[in-house]
Short mmCIF file of all heavy atoms in Angstrom, two decimals:
data_model
loop_
_atom_site.label_atom_id
_atom_site.label_comp_id
_atom_site.label_asym_id
_atom_site.label_seq_id
_atom_site.Cartn_x
_atom_site.Cartn_y
_atom_site.Cartn_z
N SER A 15 67.32 168.99 -153.10
CA SER A 15 67.42 167.86 -152.16
C SER A 15 67.87 168.32 -150.78
O SER A 15 67.35 167.85 -149.77
CB SER A 15 68.41 166.82 -152.69
OG SER A 15 67.90 166.24 -153.86
N ARG A 16 68.81 169.24 -150.73
CA ARG A 16 69.32 169.72 -149.45
C ARG A 16 68.23 170.45 -148.66
O ARG A 16 68.05 170.23 -147.46
CB ARG A 16 70.52 170.64 -149.68
CG ARG A 16 71.19 171.09 -148.41
CD ARG A 16 72.45 171.90 -148.66
NE ARG A 16 72.21 173.03 -149.54
CZ ARG A 16 72.78 173.19 -150.74
NH1 ARG A 16 73.61 172.30 -151.21
NH2 ARG A 16 72.52 174.25 -151.46
N VAL A 17 67.45 171.27 -149.34
CA VAL A 17 66.37 172.00 -148.68
C VAL A 17 65.29 171.02 -148.21
O VAL A 17 64.78 171.14 -147.09
CB VAL A 17 65.78 173.07 -149.63
CG1 VAL A 17 64.52 173.69 -149.05
CG2 VAL A 17 66.82 174.15 -149.91
N ALA A 18 64.95 170.04 -149.04
CA ALA A 18 63.94 169.06 -148.66
C ALA A 18 64.39 168.25 -147.45
O ALA A 18 63.59 167.96 -146.55
CB ALA A 18 63.63 168.14 -149.84
N LYS A 19 65.67 167.88 -147.40
CA LYS A 19 66.18 167.14 -146.24
C LYS A 19 66.07 167.98 -144.97
O LYS A 19 65.75 167.46 -143.90
CB LYS A 19 67.63 166.73 -146.46
CG LYS A 19 67.77 165.58 -147.40
CD LYS A 19 69.23 165.22 -147.62
CE LYS A 19 69.34 164.17 -148.69
NZ LYS A 19 70.74 163.85 -149.01
N GLY A 20 66.30 169.27 -145.08
CA GLY A 20 66.15 170.15 -143.93
C GLY A 20 64.71 170.20 -143.45
O GLY A 20 64.44 170.18 -142.23
N ARG A 21 63.78 170.23 -144.38
CA ARG A 21 62.37 170.24 -144.00
C ARG A 21 61.94 168.90 -143.41
O ARG A 21 61.12 168.85 -142.49
CB ARG A 21 61.51 170.59 -145.21
CG ARG A 21 61.63 172.06 -145.56
CD ARG A 21 60.60 172.48 -146.57
NE ARG A 21 60.66 173.92 -146.77
CZ ARG A 21 60.65 174.49 -147.96
NH1 ARG A 21 60.56 173.75 -149.05
NH2 ARG A 21 60.71 175.79 -148.07
N PHE A 22 62.49 167.81 -143.93
CA PHE A 22 62.20 166.50 -143.33
C PHE A 22 62.74 166.43 -141.91
O PHE A 22 62.11 165.84 -141.04
CB PHE A 22 62.80 165.38 -144.18
CG PHE A 22 61.88 164.87 -145.25
CD1 PHE A 22 62.36 164.01 -146.21
CD2 PHE A 22 60.55 165.21 -145.30
CE1 PHE A 22 61.53 163.51 -147.20
CE2 PHE A 22 59.71 164.73 -146.26
CZ PHE A 22 60.20 163.87 -147.23
N ALA A 23 63.91 167.01 -141.68
CA ALA A 23 64.47 167.03 -140.33
C ALA A 23 63.56 167.81 -139.40
O ALA A 23 63.32 167.41 -138.26
CB ALA A 23 65.87 167.62 -140.34
N ARG A 24 63.03 168.92 -139.88
CA ARG A 24 62.08 169.70 -139.08
C ARG A 24 60.82 168.89 -138.82
O ARG A 24 60.28 168.91 -137.71
CB ARG A 24 61.75 171.00 -139.78
CG ARG A 24 60.58 171.75 -139.18
CD ARG A 24 60.91 173.14 -138.77
NE ARG A 24 59.74 173.93 -138.44
CZ ARG A 24 59.07 173.82 -137.29
NH1 ARG A 24 59.45 172.96 -136.38
NH2 ARG A 24 58.02 174.58 -137.06
N ALA A 25 60.34 168.19 -139.84
CA ALA A 25 59.14 167.36 -139.67
C ALA A 25 59.40 166.28 -138.63
O ALA A 25 58.52 165.97 -137.82
CB ALA A 25 58.75 166.72 -141.00
N GLU A 26 60.59 165.73 -138.62
CA GLU A 26 60.93 164.70 -137.64
C GLU A 26 60.81 165.23 -136.22
O GLU A 26 60.34 164.53 -135.33
CB GLU A 26 62.36 164.19 -137.89
CG GLU A 26 62.80 163.09 -136.99
CD GLU A 26 62.08 161.77 -137.20
OE1 GLU A 26 61.78 161.44 -138.36
OE2 GLU A 26 61.81 161.09 -136.20
N THR A 27 61.18 166.49 -136.01
CA THR A 27 61.06 167.07 -134.67
C THR A 27 59.60 167.31 -134.29
O THR A 27 59.28 167.40 -133.12
CB THR A 27 61.83 168.41 -134.55
OG1 THR A 27 61.23 169.38 -135.40
CG2 THR A 27 63.29 168.23 -134.88
N LEU A 28 58.73 167.41 -135.29
CA LEU A 28 57.30 167.63 -135.04
C LEU A 28 56.52 166.33 -134.93
O LEU A 28 55.31 166.35 -134.79
CB LEU A 28 56.71 168.47 -136.18
CG LEU A 28 57.22 169.90 -136.31
CD1 LEU A 28 56.75 170.50 -137.62
CD2 LEU A 28 56.76 170.73 -135.13
N ARG A 29 57.21 165.22 -135.01
CA ARG A 29 56.54 163.91 -135.02
C ARG A 29 56.10 163.50 -133.62
O ARG A 29 56.59 162.57 -133.03
CB ARG A 29 57.47 162.87 -135.62
CG ARG A 29 56.71 161.72 -136.24
CD ARG A 29 57.64 160.71 -136.73
NE ARG A 29 58.00 159.89 -135.58
CZ ARG A 29 58.90 158.95 -135.60
NH1 ARG A 29 59.58 158.72 -136.68
NH2 ARG A 29 59.17 158.24 -134.52
N THR A 30 55.13 164.23 -133.12
CA THR A 30 54.53 163.91 -131.83
C THR A 30 53.02 163.87 -131.99
O THR A 30 52.48 164.42 -132.95
CB THR A 30 54.90 164.96 -130.77
OG1 THR A 30 54.34 166.22 -131.15
CG2 THR A 30 56.40 165.08 -130.59
N GLN A 31 52.37 163.26 -131.05
CA GLN A 31 50.90 163.17 -131.11
C GLN A 31 50.27 164.56 -131.08
O GLN A 31 49.27 164.80 -131.71
CB GLN A 31 50.39 162.34 -129.93
CG GLN A 31 50.92 160.94 -129.92
CD GLN A 31 49.84 159.93 -130.21
OE1 GLN A 31 48.68 160.21 -130.05
NE2 GLN A 31 50.26 158.77 -130.62
N ARG A 32 50.90 165.46 -130.33
CA ARG A 32 50.33 166.79 -130.16
C ARG A 32 50.46 167.66 -131.42
O ARG A 32 49.62 168.53 -131.66
CB ARG A 32 51.02 167.48 -128.99
CG ARG A 32 50.15 168.46 -128.27
CD ARG A 32 50.89 169.09 -127.16
NE ARG A 32 52.03 169.79 -127.76
CZ ARG A 32 53.02 170.31 -127.10
NH1 ARG A 32 53.09 170.21 -125.81
NH2 ARG A 32 54.00 170.93 -127.71
N SER A 33 51.49 167.45 -132.20
CA SER A 33 51.71 168.32 -133.36
C SER A 33 51.68 167.54 -134.67
O SER A 33 52.42 167.85 -135.60
CB SER A 33 53.02 169.08 -133.21
OG SER A 33 54.09 168.18 -133.05
N HIS A 34 50.80 166.54 -134.76
CA HIS A 34 50.77 165.73 -135.98
C HIS A 34 50.32 166.53 -137.20
O HIS A 34 50.76 166.26 -138.30
CB HIS A 34 49.91 164.48 -135.79
CG HIS A 34 48.45 164.73 -135.78
ND1 HIS A 34 47.79 165.24 -134.69
CD2 HIS A 34 47.51 164.54 -136.74
CE1 HIS A 34 46.51 165.36 -134.98
NE2 HIS A 34 46.32 164.94 -136.21
N ARG A 35 49.48 167.52 -137.03
CA ARG A 35 49.05 168.33 -138.18
C ARG A 35 50.21 169.16 -138.72
O ARG A 35 50.39 169.28 -139.93
CB ARG A 35 47.88 169.22 -137.79
CG ARG A 35 46.62 168.43 -137.47
CD ARG A 35 45.41 169.31 -137.26
NE ARG A 35 44.33 168.62 -136.58
CZ ARG A 35 43.57 167.67 -137.10
NH1 ARG A 35 43.80 167.26 -138.32
NH2 ARG A 35 42.60 167.11 -136.41
N GLU A 36 51.01 169.72 -137.84
CA GLU A 36 52.19 170.48 -138.26
C GLU A 36 53.20 169.57 -138.93
O GLU A 36 53.87 169.96 -139.88
CB GLU A 36 52.83 171.20 -137.07
CG GLU A 36 51.99 172.30 -136.47
CD GLU A 36 50.99 171.80 -135.44
OE1 GLU A 36 50.97 170.59 -135.13
OE2 GLU A 36 50.22 172.62 -134.93
N PHE A 37 53.31 168.35 -138.43
CA PHE A 37 54.21 167.36 -139.04
C PHE A 37 53.83 167.14 -140.50
O PHE A 37 54.68 167.22 -141.40
CB PHE A 37 54.13 166.04 -138.26
CG PHE A 37 54.71 164.86 -139.00
CD1 PHE A 37 56.07 164.64 -138.99
CD2 PHE A 37 53.89 163.99 -139.71
CE1 PHE A 37 56.61 163.55 -139.67
CE2 PHE A 37 54.41 162.91 -140.39
CZ PHE A 37 55.78 162.70 -140.37
N HIS A 38 52.55 166.87 -140.75
CA HIS A 38 52.11 166.61 -142.12
C HIS A 38 52.22 167.86 -142.99
O HIS A 38 52.51 167.76 -144.18
CB HIS A 38 50.69 166.03 -142.12
CG HIS A 38 50.66 164.62 -141.66
ND1 HIS A 38 50.40 164.28 -140.35
CD2 HIS A 38 50.89 163.46 -142.29
CE1 HIS A 38 50.46 162.98 -140.21
NE2 HIS A 38 50.75 162.44 -141.38
N ALA A 39 52.00 169.01 -142.42
CA ALA A 39 52.16 170.26 -143.17
C ALA A 39 53.62 170.43 -143.60
O ALA A 39 53.90 170.84 -144.74
CB ALA A 39 51.71 171.45 -142.34
N GLU A 40 54.54 170.11 -142.72
CA GLU A 40 55.97 170.24 -143.04
C GLU A 40 56.40 169.23 -144.10
O GLU A 40 57.19 169.56 -144.99
CB GLU A 40 56.82 170.10 -141.77
CG GLU A 40 58.24 170.54 -141.95
CD GLU A 40 58.40 172.02 -142.22
OE1 GLU A 40 57.54 172.84 -141.83
OE2 GLU A 40 59.41 172.39 -142.86
N VAL A 41 55.89 168.02 -144.03
CA VAL A 41 56.20 167.03 -145.06
C VAL A 41 55.67 167.51 -146.41
O VAL A 41 56.36 167.42 -147.43
CB VAL A 41 55.61 165.64 -144.70
CG1 VAL A 41 55.74 164.66 -145.86
CG2 VAL A 41 56.30 165.07 -143.46
N ALA A 42 54.45 168.03 -146.43
CA ALA A 42 53.89 168.55 -147.68
C ALA A 42 54.70 169.73 -148.20
O ALA A 42 54.96 169.82 -149.41
CB ALA A 42 52.43 168.97 -147.46
N ARG A 43 55.14 170.63 -147.31
CA ARG A 43 55.99 171.74 -147.73
C ARG A 43 57.30 171.25 -148.34
O ARG A 43 57.76 171.77 -149.34
CB ARG A 43 56.30 172.67 -146.54
CG ARG A 43 55.36 173.84 -146.43
CD ARG A 43 55.88 174.90 -145.45
NE ARG A 43 55.96 174.42 -144.07
CZ ARG A 43 54.95 174.34 -143.24
NH1 ARG A 43 53.74 174.69 -143.63
NH2 ARG A 43 55.12 173.91 -142.00
N ALA A 44 57.87 170.22 -147.74
CA ALA A 44 59.11 169.64 -148.27
C ALA A 44 58.88 169.08 -149.68
O ALA A 44 59.68 169.32 -150.59
CB ALA A 44 59.62 168.53 -147.35
N MET A 45 57.77 168.38 -149.84
CA MET A 45 57.50 167.76 -151.15
C MET A 45 57.17 168.80 -152.21
O MET A 45 57.66 168.73 -153.34
CB MET A 45 56.37 166.75 -151.01
CG MET A 45 56.77 165.55 -150.15
SD MET A 45 55.53 164.27 -150.10
CE MET A 45 55.77 163.56 -151.73
N TYR A 46 56.32 169.78 -151.87
CA TYR A 46 56.00 170.83 -152.84
C TYR A 46 57.23 171.69 -153.15
O TYR A 46 57.47 172.06 -154.30
CB TYR A 46 54.86 171.72 -152.33
CG TYR A 46 53.50 171.16 -152.61
CD1 TYR A 46 52.64 170.83 -151.57
CD2 TYR A 46 53.04 170.98 -153.91
CE1 TYR A 46 51.37 170.32 -151.81
CE2 TYR A 46 51.78 170.47 -154.17
CZ TYR A 46 50.95 170.15 -153.12
OH TYR A 46 49.70 169.64 -153.39
N GLY A 47 58.02 172.00 -152.13
CA GLY A 47 59.22 172.78 -152.34
C GLY A 47 60.22 172.07 -153.23
O GLY A 47 60.83 172.66 -154.13
N PHE A 48 60.40 170.78 -152.99
CA PHE A 48 61.30 169.96 -153.81
C PHE A 48 60.85 169.98 -155.26
O PHE A 48 61.65 170.20 -156.18
CB PHE A 48 61.32 168.53 -153.27
CG PHE A 48 62.17 167.59 -154.06
CD1 PHE A 48 63.54 167.58 -153.90
CD2 PHE A 48 61.59 166.71 -154.96
CE1 PHE A 48 64.34 166.70 -154.63
CE2 PHE A 48 62.38 165.83 -155.68
CZ PHE A 48 63.75 165.82 -155.52
N LEU A 49 59.57 169.77 -155.47
CA LEU A 49 59.02 169.75 -156.82
C LEU A 49 59.16 171.11 -157.50
O LEU A 49 59.57 171.20 -158.66
CB LEU A 49 57.55 169.33 -156.79
CG LEU A 49 56.88 169.08 -158.11
CD1 LEU A 49 57.58 167.95 -158.86
CD2 LEU A 49 55.42 168.71 -157.89
N GLY A 50 58.84 172.18 -156.77
CA GLY A 50 58.98 173.52 -157.33
C GLY A 50 60.41 173.83 -157.71
O GLY A 50 60.67 174.42 -158.77
#
C-alpha cells in the first residue's frame, strides 16, 4: 500500500494534458506493483 500510494502521488504530478500517457502508465505501474 505504501509503495502504491507513492506511485499514485507521482501519477498526480503527471496529471497534465501534455503527459497524460505517462500518467496512465504510472497508475498502471501502481496497480500492477500493488498486485504483485
Side-chain angles (χ1 to χ4, degrees):
S15 294
R16 186 175 54 243
V17 171
K19 284 179 187 176
R21 287 191 174 134
F22 271 170
R24 168 123 169 78
E26 182 68 37
T27 65
L28 294 169
R29 206 183 82 186
T30 64
Q31 299 249 339
R32 209 180 62 190
S33 57
H34 74 282
R35 294 187 197 289
E36 293 85 3
F37 165 82
H38 287 95
E40 193 66 26
V41 171
R43 266 193 296 280
M45 293 186 75
Y46 276 118
F48 178 79
L49 188 61

